[in-house]
Amino acid sequence: MNHQHHEMHKDHQHHEMHNEQQIDHSAHENHHDHHAMMIDDFRKRFYVVLVLTIPIMLLSKMIQHWLGISISFPGDKYILLALSTFVFVYGGWPFLKGLWDEIKDRNPGMMTLIGFAITVAYVYSVATVLGLSGMDFFWELTTLILIMLLGHWIEMKSIVSASRELELLVKLMPDIAHLVQGNQTTDVKTTSLKPGDIVLIKPGEKVTADGDISEGTTSLNESMLTGESKPVQKQQGDKVIAGSINGNGAIKVTVSHSAADSYLSQVVKLVQDAQKSKSKTQLLADKAARWLTIIAIVSGIVTFLYWWFDGKDLSFAIERMVTVIIICCPHALGLAIPLVIAKSTALSAKHGLLIKNRTDFENSRKITTLVFDKTGTLTVGRFEVSRLKSLESEFSENEIVRLAAAVEGSSEHPIATGIMEKAKSLKVSVPAAQNVSAITGKGIKGNVEGTEVSVVSPAFIKEQFPSLHIDDNIQTGETVVYLVVGKTVAGYIALADQIRPESPAAIASLKKMGIKTILLTGDNKIVAESVSDSLGMDGFIAEVLPHQKLEKIKELQSRGEFVAMTGDGINDAPALAQANVGIAIGSGSDVAAATAGIVLVNSNPQDVVSLIQFGKATYRKMIQNLAWATGYNVIAMPLAAGVLYHQGILLSPAAGAVLMTVSTVVVAINASTLKVRK
């Protein structure tokens, strides 16, 4: 088990999770138990050594001298030797085992340093008992092992808390689902659900599988998955995500993915992979830790040789060497990045920011230009009726909507959807239309209550009714359709894509950060310009075909811009791959399909701002941790070597161990304060 602990240190993969495809609670619990066992093991060893430290210190001649007491009896030094040997073997076992494993793997690291230091101290002390002249190190050895055990115990607890966010994600998945078969409802294991199964979700329960609502309406709390705090209204045909919490309506859901392929499983898998993947900063820290190990051993030996040749006795020279090696132990450096990674990937997943590529995430701090693909990210993405006007007194506004909706009822066109939504909000009962057909490029017509009714474009009106004065008061970004009943132009309906309420604040925040915003869209120039101007963006590129987006991104990069692109994870794959940072938006359960390095679950532009701010905060934490871990060594190592010995400043091995533990705890606490600001 201690070997496993050492392995975690060696690879800096403290947060390693079982790489199962399914969300298997038992596997995750085993992983959690394994961590808990290691914490218990270090705690138990710490308390046993703590109890033995008291008699060892009382039997040590130096402590007696300091306290002004004298305890001696025949064989006292052999009892001291026996107690210290037990502490060395039992308390030092995790470190000795680690030393052996690292040497066997030809990868010396932290355990090599600790193991070497305690072995030197022990062997020298045994030699003094057996007749070598000099003062034994037993009390230093014991306090050293005691502090190391305490440090590792605290450190393991920090690691567990860093991966707790991921455990919480796993726990979102309920174990039992209510499977509906005909009139029967049976409770089955969630993992046994197959696509096509129908499950019942009662009020207040968690949704047991990804799927579509086949019956009922409700509101869902998806905050643990998307970071969206407001409950989301859902009705028949809407998609639901496993793990979200049902409101006060009972719904039936047709399962679309098995548990292994569910959104939540993909997110957990994604977080595990991101936590394991090493970014450039991590590789830099690993390299630094390796060098620090070499520097520690070399410095230790040089320190020993210096003091010994300087005429100091052997015990003083060994004590200096042990202290240097302990202080240099690159624990803090080894943990500096992994703890921040573990915390940041799990935290961001809970806020709907999914990190697939760590380097992309760290690079988000360098963004100079942010390209918003399509208006649908900054706008609601659907046409809504903005104005209605009757041109004939016999047709009220409600009547215009009623007749237009009758003809548009079977159409999938965004304009049709906008008119149908208006009819629903006005509570207009829509009659059926017969013989509905499209007027190519101009509109749609049909027979409603015995009269021919058509919904057509302004171009059609100009052509068919040249004498009619068309209202030119069309606002930017609006699309206008006319209703013709028989031979009469009854009125018109203006529709527009509304700007999302979060967009102005998001663009303003990006501006404050000094990031240029550009709209890149297939929409027509008028709509693009309207959205770009009303939000105060830095520019727009309209009427662009998907394959041209890649060229536009290249063009921006050729001007020296560090470009991030937000787009549809599947449709915009080449452009997202070309951008320095690719952000797929609103991919929902298509997490795996997105080519982008980062996936945002919601289409909320504010999430892009949160992502960049969180990327900067994460990088800051990494740099702070690295600065602390290396800076502490730069100051503490010369003191341990005895540079200020003649000024009366000298660090004991135990003080060195305390400093090393404190540096590790500082790094752990600093990582744990990371937060996503939304």
Side-chain angles (χ1 to χ4, degrees), residues 154-167:
I154 294 169
E155 182 188 306
M156 287 309 302
K157 285 176 82 169
S158 308
I159 291 158
V160 166
S161 73
S163 31
R164 195 158 287 143
E165 271 86 5
L166 183 58
E167 304 270 338

Side-chain angles (χ1 to χ4, degrees), residues 437-505:
S437 62
I439 310 164
T440 316
K442 305 281 173 64
I444 192 166
K445 65 178 180 183
N447 207 299
V448 183
E449 297 168 343
T451 310
E452 189 179 90
V453 174
S454 30
V455 177
V456 291
S457 66
F460 181 86
I461 294 292
K462 270 184 190 161
E463 191 184 292
Q464 298 295 322
F465 302 91
S467 58
L468 182 76
H469 171 67
I470 286 188
D471 188 345
D472 288 326
N473 185 24
I474 294 174
Q475 285 153 22
T476 336
E478 274 188 341
T479 298
V480 173
V481 290
Y482 283 82
L483 178 74
V484 181
V485 182
K487 298 287 178 210
T488 312
V489 181
Y492 65 77
I493 302 171
L495 300 101
D497 187 359
Q498 307 293 317
I499 283 175
R500 288 181 68 121
E502 308 92 347
S503 297

Side-chain angles (χ1 to χ4, degrees), residues 65-270:
H65 174 69
W66 284 350
L67 296 176
I69 58 170
S70 174
I71 301 170
S72 73
F73 50 85
D76 57 352
K77 62 181 181 179
Y78 294 109
I79 288 174
L80 180 62
L81 171 63
L83 290 172
S84 303
T85 302
F86 180 80
V87 167
F88 173 67
V89 174
Y90 177 73
W93 181 251
F95 313 113
L96 297 170
K97 181 92 175 65
L99 163 73
W100 171 249
D101 288 330
E102 284 184 351
I103 288 171
K104 201 168 63 187
D105 295 342
R106 295 184 186 168
N107 186 12
M110 292 170 249
M111 293 297 180
T112 304
L113 296 182
I114 301 172
F116 178 66
I118 61 174
T119 304
V120 167
Y122 176 72
V123 169
Y124 171 77
S125 301
V126 171
T128 61
V129 172
L130 300 177
L132 183 76
S133 65
M135 189 77 83
D136 69 67
F137 265 180
F138 286 132
W139 76 270
E140 281 108 326
L141 172 72
T142 306
T143 50
L144 189 59
I145 289 173
L146 183 73
I147 294 160
M148 284 297 173
L149 288 169
L150 176 65
H152 275 67
W153 173 21
I154 294 169
E155 182 188 306
M156 287 309 302
K157 285 176 82 169
S158 308
I159 291 158
V160 166
S161 73
S163 31
R164 195 158 287 143
E165 271 86 5
L166 183 58
E167 304 270 338
L168 290 174
L169 276 177
V170 174
K171 285 186 181 138
L172 284 180
M173 193 63 146
D175 289 321
I176 301 295
H178 312 305
L179 182 65
V180 179
Q181 291 162 310
N183 297 328
Q184 293 287 309
T185 304
T186 47
D187 283 357
V188 297
K189 278 213 167 299
T190 311
T191 45
S192 70
L193 293 175
K194 301 180 299 299
D197 284 349
I198 293 175
V199 288
L200 172 68
I201 317 291
K202 295 174 185 172
E205 287 186 336
K206 283 180 182 166
V207 175
T208 44
D210 288 5
D212 304 293
I213 297 178
S214 55
E215 199 179 301
T217 57
T218 189
S219 64
L220 288 185
N221 178 348
E222 297 178 339
S223 59
M224 270 298 278
L225 303 158
T226 65
E228 176 56 68
S229 53
K230 293 194 292 281
V232 187
Q233 291 301 317
K234 300 278 183 179
Q235 58 193 41
Q236 198 171 336
D238 286 349
K239 283 191 183 327
V240 294
I241 304 173
S244 43
I245 300 162
N246 189 15
N248 48 16
I251 50 170
K252 285 184 182 171
V253 172
T254 305
V255 178
S256 58
H257 298 115
S258 63
D261 299 324
S262 72
Y263 168 77
L264 199 54
S265 290
Q266 290 187 50
V267 170
V268 170
K269 172 91 171 63
L270 201 72

Side-chain angles (χ1 to χ4, degrees), residues 394-416:
E394 65 197 87
F395 294 101
S396 67
E397 290 186 355
N398 277 22
E399 183 64 5
I400 288 169
V401 172
R402 186 179 86 91
L403 294 171
V407 183
E408 296 280 14
S410 56
S411 171
E412 293 292 311
H413 195 280
I415 288 176

Side-chain angles (χ1 to χ4, degrees), residues 520 546 549-550 553 565 572-579:
L520 179 69
K549 287 178 182 172
L550 174 75
I553 300 285
M565 175 175 170
D572 298 317
L576 284 168
Q578 176 61 38

Side-chain angles (χ1 to χ4, degrees), residues 599-655:
V599 181
L600 302 188
V601 180
N602 291 326
S603 303
N604 187 344
Q606 199 62 53
D607 283 358
V608 181
V609 179
S610 298
L611 171 81
I612 294 171
Q613 286 171 337
F614 189 52
K616 285 182 174 176
T618 301
Y619 189 74
R620 263 199 312 276
K621 287 276 177 226
M622 288 180 176
I623 296 305
Q624 284 163 8
N625 277 359
L626 285 178
W628 169 263
T630 48
Y632 135 85
N633 278 302
V634 168
I635 293 164
M637 195 177 103
L639 291 178
V643 169
L644 297 179
Y645 170 66
H646 297 297
Q647 282 74 34
I649 297 173
L650 204 60
L651 290 177
S652 70

